Amino acid sequence: MAESARGIVSPGELARYVVLDRVAAGLCSSGPDGGAGIAAFVEYYWSVSWSVQEVYEAKVLSHPNVHLVFEPDGPLVYGVDRGLFVRRLTGTGHVLGVRFLPGAFRALHNGPVAELADRRVDATRVFGPGITDVNRAVQATTDPVAMARAAEEFLTPLLPARPDPAAVRAAELVALFTVEPALFRVDEAAAASGLSVRALQRLFAEYVGVSPKWVLRRARLHEVAHRAADTAPVNWPALAADLGYTDQAHLIRDFTAAVGESPARYARSATSHP
């Protein structure tokens, strides 16, 4: 499974029903007054288009990112979904998402990002009524680049010239905890970050929107799903040990609780689709 699909539940099956595109941030050359530009705040844009005969449920093990999504019924801000994100797709449609870097949405939100966890907020409450014009422009085209450009031209003037150093630090720590899921406990993560446990928890609540413990656990679940969706056989006891689980049974319980099926069953389902 490609790294770009990490977090998508059964990406092979999803590809039968939707088209997923990504556009790099930075279509505009720089930020206001020659600032850092939007790429210092936005990780990338993603678009999903679909045409289904029956209801299809797209599922994602979410990452620690806030998203702004331009949808047929209006734009929404999605806080980090700490459970399994499920989107029911019907008929034909498309959406554009703006995936903010971990910590970056704090520049646009008047309060700790943890307030947005597991919530979908009308984007006009954050960005004002002008964002509805952008939503109409996004819905008027299916070109991913054109959609991304409309969003970027709107967002760029709203962002500060430079990201908050604390937000940058939060993004660096999220990357440290997720790129290689070798840290298993919050005290280990705090030691690696050079912060106390409490200071790390405060930083993540303010800027990331979820706890360090959640980020560490989600990184392990992403790795399990990634390995399970690969065509190579998985040595489950060895993987459990590599990811810091006490035993294979603990890995199975953790994954099943998050995804709704065991890793072995998920592997069979994920590898049965082209």
Side-chain angles (χ1 to χ4, degrees), residues 101-188:
L101 286 160
F105 198 77
R106 182 63 181 83
L108 297 166
H109 179 61
N110 186 26
V113 180
E115 296 174 348
L116 299 173
D118 301 324
R119 294 178 60 202
R120 305 177 187 185
V121 178
D122 184 340
T124 61
R125 293 174 54 186
V126 179
F127 298 98
I131 199 169
T132 58
D133 293 333
V134 185
N135 201 69
R136 281 193 289 269
V138 166
Q139 290 300 314
T141 180
T142 56
D143 177 11
V145 175
M147 289 190 284
R149 188 177 297 279
E152 186 162 301
E153 289 176 349
F154 174 79
L155 288 171
T156 298
L158 304 179
L159 293 166
R162 297 282 187 274
D164 183 339
V168 173
R169 180 60 174 151
E172 292 172 344
L173 292 176
V174 168
L176 175 66
F177 299 165
T178 58
V179 173
E180 292 290 342
L183 297 169
F184 310 130
R185 302 196 313 269
V186 175
D187 59 342
E188 294 175 337

